Amino acid sequence: MADTTVFEQHESELRGYCRVYPTVFSSARNARQFDEDGKSYIDFFAGAGVLNFGHNNPRMKKALIEFIEADGVAHSLDTYTSAKREFISAFVDTVLKPRAMDYRLQFIGPTGTNAVEASLKLARKVTGRRNVVAFSHGFHGMTLGSLACTTNNYFRNAAGVPLENVTHQAFGCDKLCMGCRLGCGRQSLDQLRAAYADSSSGLEKPAAFLVEAIQAEGGVNVASDEWLQDLQSLAREVGALLIVDDIQVGCGRTGDYFSFERAGIDPDIVNLAKGIGGYGTPLAMNLVKPEHDRHWQPGEHTGTFRGQGLSFVAGREGLRYFEDRALLDEVVAKGEFMAATLNGVVERHGESRCQRRGRGMIQALDTGAGEHAKAIVANCFEAGLLVSACGTGGRVVKLIPPLTIEQETLAEGLAIFTRVVDQVLSGGNP
Amino acid sequence: MADTTVFEQHESELRGYCRVYPTVFSSARNARQFDEDGKSYIDFFAGAGVLNFGHNNPRMKKALIEFIEADGVAHSLDTYTSAKREFISAFVDTVLKPRAMDYRLQFIGPTGTNAVEASLKLARKVTGRRNVVAFSHGFHGMTLGSLACTTNNYFRNAAGVPLENVTHQAFGCDKLCMGCRLGCGRQSLDQLRAAYADSSSGLEKPAAFLVEAIQAEGGVNVASDEWLQDLQSLAREVGALLIVDDIQVGCGRTGDYFSFERAGIDPDIVNLAKGIGGYGTPLAMNLVKPEHDRHWQPGEHTGTFRGQGLSFVAGREGLRYFEDRALLDEVVAKGEFMAATLNGVVERHGESRCQRRGRGMIQALDTGAGEHAKAIVANCFEAGLLVSACGTGGRVVKLIPPLTIEQETLAEGLAIFTRVVDQVLSGGNP
Amino acid sequence: MADTTVFEQHESELRGYCRVYPTVFSSARNARQFDEDGKSYIDFFAGAGVLNFGHNNPRMKKALIEFIEADGVAHSLDTYTSAKREFISAFVDTVLKPRAMDYRLQFIGPTGTNAVEASLKLARKVTGRRNVVAFSHGFHGMTLGSLACTTNNYFRNAAGVPLENVTHQAFGCDKLCMGCRLGCGRQSLDQLRAAYADSSSGLEKPAAFLVEAIQAEGGVNVASDEWLQDLQSLAREVGALLIVDDIQVGCGRTGDYFSFERAGIDPDIVNLAKGIGGYGTPLAMNLVKPEHDRHWQPGEHTGTFRGQGLSFVAGREGLRYFEDRALLDEVVAKGEFMAATLNGVVERHGESRCQRRGRGMIQALDTGAGEHAKAIVANCFEAGLLVSACGTGGRVVKLIPPLTIEQETLAEGLAIFTRVVDQVLSGGNP
Amino acid sequence: MADTTVFEQHESELRGYCRVYPTVFSSARNARQFDEDGKSYIDFFAGAGVLNFGHNNPRMKKALIEFIEADGVAHSLDTYTSAKREFISAFVDTVLKPRAMDYRLQFIGPTGTNAVEASLKLARKVTGRRNVVAFSHGFHGMTLGSLACTTNNYFRNAAGVPLENVTHQAFGCDKLCMGCRLGCGRQSLDQLRAAYADSSSGLEKPAAFLVEAIQAEGGVNVASDEWLQDLQSLAREVGALLIVDDIQVGCGRTGDYFSFERAGIDPDIVNLAKGIGGYGTPLAMNLVKPEHDRHWQPGEHTGTFRGQGLSFVAGREGLRYFEDRALLDEVVAKGEFMAATLNGVVERHGESRCQRRGRGMIQALDTGAGEHAKAIVANCFEAGLLVSACGTGGRVVKLIPPLTIEQETLAEGLAIFTRVVDQVLSGGNP
């Protein structure tokens, strides 16, 4: 048994995931983690979507060690460094140019919440407006500005102050989630459009719409392409910016580099973090249309850890995966395999008991009840598989393995998962 | 000449320090950085106070490479890992126990602003109050909650929304800054104390007082010990928490591990970041009194990058420096050398033209005018020395070399600095 | 021509209605006003719904003069006076008891906005929640708390500060207004109900729902009874108070004493003002369920003009009108006559050009365009009839004569109105 | 004994003054009120400063009855009426012209809080800023915008929402109040001035300073002329408006028409209410510099009861008192008599036990303790004198008789007062 005394005695009560995975991890390789007792876990969680390229990706290890040995600049604020130039060039050449995208790269601090906060500032500067529209079940971070956009009451109630300047609307799911009565799945934006057009609706035109194309923490809710397109139209009509938070589902997760590519939309700002740094060291980046970017004055939003040499180096290695469609095609194929497996589960237990949702390698099983999902997560852990719950009441089990997971490991993990789910949903215990 | 085209074409207008240091850095070692043209710079900026142990500290390089090669867990959210346990144990044994301090360690995201935001949440939860008192010239971060505590209008104006729930009071400097009429240097807290006691003052009792013992970004303003003690008394009297933001001046910078030790105060929460991760990779940590910590519910404040293996490993190496007083004694000695040098400058130019402030290895020259400081920073850069301006109007030049800087490099840097200052203040150009 | 020099030279630019009715009124009697040139106007505006009993109601004149001559207490703050006791007793006996209503009477300042502000305070105290739900097109006053509930941007933009702690939802009209796309006319509350039930919707449970059964300023939008009943159910379900703002349409205006009686709902708080004081002197009053009322501490909401002797005396006379159904039956009959007349207009011009809305003696013609309504108001004024525009873009002409208007005056006024409308909608000018 | 059953059964718990004066008043004449038992009370409270011309002033009675009999327009919104023109002309001729003041008259609703709210809106519109500075111990009303300026926690806590956009500073008393440690009595504005000049003070330049020249509810704190002059200078320097709330101490109360005349300042906006309507019927008015007034758009701030015929008629009669200095001279003389009497009390009991403050016919005895003041108020009531407590903890007894009080009634009331005070402060009971 792992010795967790030090943590229990000295770490804050705030700690969370360690309660879900009650062991001490000592090493990790691609889609496997190992604890101090030598037990191996297949990782379908990937550090909450950070480790798209697996733990300790060999190419990245090599590049990092070389960089460290050569005394590369590990920490540089936002001064220019060779490593940063390589990263920027690679991103422009690999991601932006092939997609004919014209964005400025903005380094705003190393976390997703920094990215969201900076994009809210810019949208408010550009438009001179205060209100931002976010969507039910959205998750955008924990600092006060992004927390106001995040919907989960558990987090919101911890703010201790009113969360202002953000309003929430129903999300545009491509199908109705189990038991959803929010109207997300059949939501038209016409009522909102009419409210903005009516000077006595009480709704003011927003500075921005902040949206995830797939709400990961919110329960793996997939926006329909038509709704995203209409949202972009609405934003243009009312003079608001469209911000896509692609922090968890960007960087290849969905089978495209960006989650929103399929919908053919053209956001004003894209928030990236998590996977962008490659190795699990922090990095975040906003892509910003040049016409908005010029509203910034130098250093107006700042932060100490904006120049992360190790993240640039590993992130640059990560970008090599997108020089052709090989990895993305693999993501599509593995995603279909995952979906098919989950569909089998749904067929066995019936759509009244569970529902599959997702795209590419973010797949989920909505179990309809938090206690089911909790039992599944716990039993999977026992059985050597790391998965995690999300969504309202924690009733959705999310599967987000590294994109680089070996097919046999993926199959092995899915086999554990289906066995556990079958037992839990049948009322038994594995 | 460094080729900065890629940055100019593709990076956001927001970039800042690269305009102050217009070159491309390629490598760095302890207190020296090197640009692509091979020019060497003595670093009196240390990545805005992050690199207390220098660039690419050899002990840390070794530990990091070993960790990477052994497939240590680089990214772990807040699950338990071996590296994290070692870091926690070392911190408890090296820092807390010898000082008889009883704190829980809280990992709240890897940046200083995360630390501040989480501590504000906790103070508001514990007290059920909203308002937080911060101090004129304070700097606490850029996300919305901490930005409300930060005072610089340049940053505040970028918020785009009102900054609420924070009020600012005059700081308790140990001497009057040049030209200061805010009353900081002679400020008693009695008027504030009376206002809280008076139910019709219009001031409500705060959830917390958030203070830096030395305001680094604010112009290297040093709080007097008496004022800090009285602030702690006031906090206790009105049932508010005392939060010390030790992000820039903790971790040995002042000659003690914590900047506030000398004053003998006992904060409820201490914010740490920057130097705590050792190598320049992000890490932040709050120290929280157990009686407050138990107000947290698990995972109520969260964040992706709370488990940074590389930072735990390098940070653990950093803690070895504090197993005895050797480094701290060195800091005191070097600090006195720096102060003496600056005092010489002041003597030459007169107290009406400049003022020295600081303690330990955070020393500063207040030049009374932003344009002087700007010229000094630019001319130092030309001469191969990195320094930076801070304070209202950017009129203070701050010197924060790595604590591990070699004595001769320190002397060399100071020689450049005094030569440049003499020229600028005498109206010439170096 | 009336001499308006004094006003133009010395009164603020803020003045408004005088621009719509550019003359100087010198006297008034029941439903007629007279200007200094002796021109007579039929009053279908009744001082914005204040003068339910006409100008200078003879019974009230007599009672006021006797009270003044007897040195009655004209101004009493909230001390007890004989006049106030008579008013309270009469209100309880005439209004509350026959309806088996159990409310405490609260005097909170003499204006409608005072009533709304005090009711918001109480709802927030009772529930410990901040947010209040008001409805699109609602009007609730101009002071900051009630202005946050008011929807018209023209008023909201004058606040100069963000209007917080209130959200707006679509209103439950009994039919779709001309060109409305807000969904008010087909709005179910189920989506809102679901959002409150979902802890990740981003919507927090409100302290109160604040609603007008008929939105007078908002364009004479009539809530369906079913929607009001469902709103009450929703309020009960989520633990929120139901506040009915009956300031303009209470006191007999709709053919019942309260506008919401027909729907059979039982509000927690009812806001009254305007007509309650009878003579046009200010008075406002909240009716509050005793179980909520006891959350007040004495004098917690205060105001100078809470004890208005003249208003109590005239208001008490007004209550005599409700000792039986005579006046209310008259209101119903006159209201039907008004509606029939307006329906004739609609038949002549077609439903694509105009729409009738209203109940009892608040009737309105939606002309679909602000310029039409503006021309109608101006031409009516010329022709000796006072009417006023309301609704989004001012496109609705509202008819709210005194309830005591003589049938022949009503007919005469309606004849003017239909003649003017016919000309304007046919493109001619009267 | 007065029968108060109806009130106790049916009126809200919110009622306040009736608990201080537990009887039922039935009539009143100049400075005397009579209850239903025929007991007479000398009125040193004047309806909280409304009844400067006494209860049922004979001139006003006559004018009101004539107006009512002639069917004058009692309620007119902001349409033009003959009565309103007469009032405006009289105010301009009697008050503004002799003082060479150039203000527009703004009717913004009939209560003081309406006046304050409208002036805050205008100041924010004119400057484009949000924050307003009010002062400790200030009282400005109960609606949300003015409540944010009011300081008493008892009222503030009832808001149920954060009170934003206002900060409070120490007031500029002309002498230190008993036991005051807020620094009001020795307060210089230089520290505040320096904070506005410092871009990193955390204080933003305000839209306005809102101040009472004498804080009536706050404990009869008299601002020094020098401080008011310096406040005006500071306002001008930082581009903020100076708003004087003269609601309780204007209209002749201090021996000048405006309380601030003596200081020779020139406010941008003056708030008037209470005494301006003469008879105790509601009226409020803002005086606004023309250059600010033109920032209003028509009807942008509105309200039902802006055109109060009875108040215009009685208020116009009130203005006749200011056609010469006769009444004002009387106020000065009576005020000196009151002050001398109170000074005698202070001499008898010593300055450590009580303090006199005030000017003109607003005089007060600070008893140092709420229980003393409470006993004094209660015993005075028993003895047939109405006085009221104010200030922090209710420890100040305020004397504000009608300006028209007969000298002998004033003497009689003061005799009761001194007798009761002597007994209470000596520890006995009358």
Side-chain angles (χ1 to χ4, degrees), chain C residues 3 10-14 16-17 36 61 71 78 82 84-85 104-105 117 144 154 293 298-299 304, chain D residues 3 10-14 16 36 61 71 78 82 84-85 104-105 117 121 144 154 274 293 298-299:
Chain C
D3 182 356
H10 299 295
E11 196 178 352
S12 167
E13 290 302 318
L14 187 60
Y17 283 115
E36 292 186 340
K61 285 175 64 172
D71 286 332
D78 65 351
S82 312
K84 184 177 179 180
R85 184 170 46 205
R104 290 289 183 120
L105 280 60
E117 294 255 354
L144 204 61
Y154 190 71
D293 183 66
T304 296
Chain D
D3 182 356
H10 298 296
E11 196 178 352
S12 168
E13 290 302 318
L14 188 59
E36 291 185 340
K61 283 176 65 171
D71 286 332
D78 66 352
S82 312
K84 184 176 178 181
R85 184 170 44 208
R104 291 291 184 121
L105 280 59
E117 294 254 352
K121 286 185 189 178
L144 204 61
Y154 190 70
K274 293 201 188 249
D293 183 67

Side-chain angles (χ1 to χ4, degrees), chain D residues 139-151:
Chain D
F139 181 97
H140 302 284
M142 289 288 111
T143 53
L144 204 61
S146 50
L147 182 54
C149 301
T150 293
T151 54

Side-chain angles (χ1 to χ4, degrees), chain A residues 141-191:
Chain A
M142 289 288 110
T143 52
L144 204 61
S146 51
L147 182 55
C149 301
T150 293
T151 55
N152 193 320
N153 274 352
Y154 190 70
F155 300 131
R156 294 174 69 85
N157 290 342
V161 294
L163 296 170
E164 308 283 15
N165 304 309
V166 176
T167 50
H168 289 93
Q169 299 291 341
F171 184 70
C173 285
D174 64 354
K175 61 179 168 183
L176 266 178
C177 297
M178 280 187 82
C180 178
R181 288 159 57 209
L182 283 180
C184 300
R186 56 167 193 276
Q187 180 66 18
S188 140
L189 292 162
D190 282 347
Q191 194 173 340

